[in-house]
């Protein structure tokens, strides 16, 4: 029963954490519209591999992170820098795309979408503290006991829950690609807005 609770908790917590438009799911939307659903799902698979390890590390070291808040703060600061850099990166890509006469230009290298997902998901340094906090919250309600089997069950469910949301993004945006020309033409700017908001709010929290 404990494993079932851990699995259900991991699925729900991961889905809630990723359902809002963010760097990863908006990238999946862009790949689905500009390339194909298959490429978007390859990216998603790469991302959820990292999610498994992030949720595992977060829950496994939850008590350590709780008793050493400076570690969590360091991760948050590093993540904020990453999001600032990503904001400028997507703005640059958006401006470069605007200069191209043919917006439907074929992307030459599509071989590494899985690795692209692995890389971009690895940059999400907020995931580990997020899962640590959620694990501690569940433990405070006596719903999670940090056994290795529960942690694996939780982490596996977190990966499945994340992929489920990614799949919805890939399918949804692919189906309405002809109705969202504004989004498809300016997707890099939309992603830059999202990462910019995350960077600003994180910076404000750190400074305060």
């Amino acid at each position: 029963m404990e494993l079932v609770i851990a699995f259900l908790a991991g699925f729900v917590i991961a889905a809630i954490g990723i359902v809002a438009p963010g760097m990863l799911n908006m990238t999946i939307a862009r790949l689905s519209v500009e390339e194909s659903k298959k490429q978007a799902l390859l990216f998603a698979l790469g991302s959820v591999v990292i999610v498994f390890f992030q949720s595992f590390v977060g829950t496994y070291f939850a008590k350590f992170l709780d008793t050493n808040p400076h570690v969590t703060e360091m991760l948050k600061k590093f993540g904020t820098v990453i999001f600032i850099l990503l904001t400028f990166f997507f703005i640059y890509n958006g401006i470069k795309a605007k200069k191209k006469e043919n917006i439907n230009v074929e992307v030459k290298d599509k071989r590494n979408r899985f690795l692209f997902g692995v890389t971009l998901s690895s940059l999400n340094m907020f995931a580990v503290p997020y899962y640590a906090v959620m694990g501690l919250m569940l433990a405070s309600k006596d719903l999670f006991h940090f056994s290795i089997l529960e942690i694996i069950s939780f982490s596996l469910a977190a990966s499945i829950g994340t992929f489920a949301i990614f799949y919805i993004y890939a399918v949804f945006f692919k189906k309405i690609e002809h109705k969202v020309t504004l989004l498809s033409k300016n997707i890099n700017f939309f992603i830059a807005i999202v990462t910019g908001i995350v960077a600003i709010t994180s910076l404000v929290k750190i400074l305060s």
Side-chain angles (χ1 to χ4, degrees):
M1 187 61 183
E2 291 178 347
L3 293 179
V4 174
I5 293 175
F7 186 90
L8 293 175
F11 186 94
V12 173
I13 287 172
I16 292 174
I18 201 69
V19 68
M23 176 181 65
L24 294 175
N25 40 25
M26 291 304 289
T27 301
I28 287 173
R30 176 177 65 83
L31 292 174
S32 180
V33 171
E34 294 183 356
E35 297 182 10
S36 68
K37 186 177 73 173
K38 178 181 177 181
Q39 297 298 328
L41 293 179
L42 279 174
F43 175 91
L45 283 173
S47 298
V48 299
V49 168
I50 299 302
V51 169
F52 176 85
F53 290 106
Q54 289 171 330
S55 56
F56 185 93
V57 171
T59 51
Y60 188 81
F61 293 103
K63 292 182 179 180
F64 171 77
L65 291 172
D66 187 52
T67 56
N68 295 271
H70 64 280
V71 176
T72 304
E73 289 302 313
M74 180 182 67
L75 291 173
K76 288 180 179 179
K77 290 177 182 179
F78 181 73
T80 300
V81 173
I82 293 298
F83 274 107
I84 291 173
L85 294 176
L86 285 172
T87 299
F88 286 107
F89 171 77
F90 284 115
I91 290 175
Y92 170 76
N93 276 355
I95 294 174
K96 188 168 67 171
K98 283 286 187 181
K99 292 181 179 179
K100 295 179 180 179
E101 293 183 4
N102 183 9
I103 61 171
N104 294 318
V105 61
E106 186 75 11
V107 178
K108 293 182 180 179
D109 186 6
K110 297 181 181 179
R111 294 173 297 176
N112 297 313
R113 290 311 178 202
F114 179 87
L115 294 179
F116 183 36
V118 168
T119 302
L120 207 56
S121 186
S122 299
L123 297 177
N124 183 15
M125 298 304 296
F126 292 95
V128 172
Y130 172 74
Y131 286 111
V133 170
M134 292 298 103
L136 289 169
M137 184 186 72
L138 291 172
S140 69
K141 305 294 183 181
D142 200 32
L143 297 173
F144 197 75
H145 305 94
F146 298 105
S147 71
I148 190 65
L149 289 179
E150 284 185 80
I151 291 174
I152 292 175
S153 178
F154 180 94
S155 302
L156 180 62
S159 299
I160 296 173
T162 301
F163 185 81
I165 298 299
F166 286 166
Y167 184 85
I168 292 172
Y169 266 82
V171 172
F172 175 75
F173 276 89
K174 186 61 180 176
K175 285 186 176 180
I176 64 171
E177 63 176 312
H178 299 298
K179 300 179 182 179
V180 288
T181 53
L182 176 64
L183 178 62
S184 61
K185 290 179 182 178
N186 299 280
I187 190 68
N188 286 290
F189 292 116
F190 280 103
I191 298 175
I193 290 172
V194 172
T195 56
I197 291 173
V198 173
I200 292 172
T201 54
S202 300
L203 190 60
V204 169
K205 288 181 180 179
I206 290 173
L207 294 178
S208 62

